[in-house]
Amino acid sequence: MKLYVVPTPIGNLQDITLRALETLKQVDIILAEDTRTSKVLLNHFQIATPLWRYHQHNEHKVLENLIEEMQAGKTFALISDAGTPAISDPGFLLVRACIQHQIPVECLPGPTALIPALVDSGFPINRFVFEGFLPPKKGRQTLLNKLKEEERAIVFYESPHRILKTLLELKNYFEATRKICVCRELSKKFEEIVRGTLDEVALHFEKQAPRGEFVIVIEGVH
Ligand code: SAM
């Protein structure tokens, strides 16, 4: 009876930990966001553990059954498509339910996109705020207005089709000289780290159509 939360690579398959591999082999069932995506990873490492689906559209519905299965003695590993489950991914509902039912939970340390992005930025990051994905509409303006005064480094996720629009929008809130770092395709073949002022970085992506996955880091006010 246990839930393991297991981080998986955000790009480079070599980033999986030895303990993640061992855990994924030993558990009774792996809960995966997208079984097709996870099968690629599991086949690569010759892991044949049964896969069940656990994603944002069924996480409420399957919760009770998963708790019952764990109470009956089964051990589960929760994985997401990439990185650490529950970080801008499904997971927290299950972790909370396990805790409520006295089922042990263990999150293994491992890959996540926000940490390498923060370190790559070169900004002071002893303290930082992680905003996940910015709200698309409601609350976005209020949040950005609040963040422009933030003293800690700010880190958030953005999709390739919105990155340029967001960078241009940030210019309405932050000074054009504010330092920013955009990390693209971390740990992958076409990894790119673009550092500079907000103006410079926005210009870079205006010239070159953004592709891939992105993390944005903004230096705090000081
Ligand atoms: N659970 C993941 C984690 O621990 O980082 C995050 C999942 S969230 C659905 C996906 C977002 O994470 C992407 O849109 C992108 O902003 C960021 N991301 C994931 N992999 C990345 C990578 N290799 N390079 C840059 N950003 C990445």
Side-chain angles (χ1 to χ4, degrees):
M1 171 166 98
K2 184 159 177 169
L3 173 70
Y4 289 95
V5 180
V6 180
T8 55
I10 58 165
N12 191 327
L13 291 186
Q14 307 266 33
D15 291 337
I16 194 133
T17 69
L18 296 176
R19 201 146 78 91
L21 290 177
E22 193 184 290
T23 305
L24 293 173
K25 278 183 191 151
Q26 282 176 358
V27 293
D28 297 306
I29 291 141
I30 297 174
L31 300 172
E33 212 184 340
D34 180 332
T35 47
R36 268 185 314 176
T37 305
S38 295
K39 265 188 191 146
V40 175
L41 175 85
L42 298 174
N43 288 344
H44 180 86
F45 290 108
Q46 289 157 11
I47 296 169
T49 309
L51 273 181
W52 287 10
R53 299 186 74 200
Y54 181 84
H55 48 74
Q56 59 171 350
H57 303 295
N58 78 352
E59 57 178 339
H60 285 273
K61 217 172 82 191
V62 298
L63 213 54
E64 210 180 295
N65 179 44
L66 292 178
I67 294 296
E68 280 170 13
E69 293 280 357
M70 282 187 251
Q71 284 171 330
K74 286 213 169 64
T75 296
F76 285 75
L78 173 66
I79 60 176
S80 62
D81 286 351
T84 301
I87 300 294
S88 294
D89 265 336
F92 113 85
L93 283 177
L94 184 57
V95 170
R96 184 175 67 182
C98 286
I99 295 166
Q100 281 165 351
H101 290 86
Q102 278 93 42
I103 296 167
V105 176
E106 184 176 348
C107 177
L108 272 49
T112 187
L114 72 126
I115 298 298
L118 278 165
V119 177
D120 282 336
S121 76
F123 303 149
I125 48 158
N126 274 345
R127 298 154 70 233
F128 61 85
V129 275
F130 172 57
E131 288 292 343
F133 289 97
L134 295 180
K137 286 194 181 89
K138 199 167 167 276
R140 188 175 174 98
Q141 215 177 331
T142 317
L143 178 66
L144 286 169
N145 261 317
K146 208 169 88 186
L147 289 177
K148 70 183 182 195
E149 309 296 343
E150 178 57 58
E151 292 176 359
R152 297 165 291 184
I154 305 154
V155 54
F156 58 92
Y157 290 159
E158 191 49 284
S159 72
H161 56 275
R162 275 202 308 249
I163 181 97
L164 185 57
K165 207 165 149 254
T166 297
L167 289 173
L168 297 174
E169 183 190 8
L170 290 178
K171 295 213 263 180
N172 301 331
Y173 298 87
F174 298 85
E175 332 69 270
T177 53
R178 179 72 74 97
K179 296 258 179 55
I180 172 169
C181 172
V182 173
C183 300
R184 185 171 82 88
E185 296 285 84
L186 287 162
S187 81
K188 301 187 199 176
K189 192 172 171 196
F190 296 106
E191 175 174 305
E192 181 186 24
I193 316 284
V194 186
R195 306 178 181 90
T197 64
L198 184 47
D199 255 355
E200 289 164 350
V201 174
L203 188 68
H204 173 93
F205 287 106
E206 271 179 316
K207 283 191 197 152
Q208 187 190 311
R211 292 174 71 180
E213 298 198 273
F214 293 86
V215 184
I216 301 180
V217 189
I218 305 174
E219 189 172 30
V221 175
H222 55 110

